[in-house]
Amino acid sequence: QVQLVESGGGLVQAGGSLRLSCIASGLTFSSYHMGWFRQAPGAERENVANISWSGASTDYATSVKGRYTISRDNAKNTVYLQMNSLKPEDTAVYYCAVYRGAYWTGSSEVASWGQGTQVTVSS
């Protein structure tokens, strides 16, 4: 019954920016940690950013730290991923995720996934 719908992906040139959004339904959004993952063709799914239920704590992969910002608006049941200074290696399908509990150590802790949105960064 949980549904996560991502939007905001697209094609940008290196150095550009995109803002992804994920609208959640079917859950008490403010009670759950949220995350963003990405998966490039032939690669493993990578956890790039996480945010606690209140938004008080965030966590980023080294590959995106300083360039990406995760945020949430619990009143709108929405989590965002602001991506700046994009690089070709950021090209991937980006997925929104809701964690099942207190841990956000990776995909094994994810209860539900969004459908994904394609981000393509050209050189």
Side-chain angles (χ1 to χ4, degrees):
Q1 300 287 15
V2 175
Q3 186 174 14
L4 306 175
V5 180
E6 302 100 329
S7 62
L11 173 64
V12 298
Q13 291 188 324
S17 298
L18 285 173
R19 189 193 193 209
L20 306 183
S21 298
C22 171
I23 301 175
S25 61
L27 78 167
T28 303
F29 181 74
S30 60
S31 296
Y32 294 93
H33 302 331
M34 302 293 294
W36 285 96
F37 292 71
R38 67 185 182 187
Q39 189 165 24
E44 297 292 324
R45 191 165 293 188
E46 177 189 16
N47 184 208
V48 297
N50 301 302
I51 188 166
S52 63
W53 65 270
S54 67
S57 298
T58 57
D59 182 71
Y60 299 93
T62 300
S63 58
V64 307
K65 188 176 296 183
R67 300 187 298 118
Y68 289 16
T69 302
I70 188 171
S71 61
R72 67 192 296 163
D73 186 340
N74 286 346
K76 296 181 178 180
N77 284 12
T78 302
V79 62
Y80 305 94
L81 187 68
Q82 178 67 46
M83 304 182 294
N84 299 325
S85 301
L86 285 164
K87 306 173 182 179
E89 52 262 45
D90 294 319
T91 295
V93 177
Y94 282 70
Y95 298 91
C96 179
V98 56
Y99 287 98
R100 67 178 72 254
Y103 303 101
W104 59 25
T105 53
S107 59
S108 64
E109 304 298 330
V110 172
S112 299
W113 298 94
Q115 85 287 351
T117 185
Q118 177 71 48
V119 171
T120 302
V121 184
S122 66
S123 60

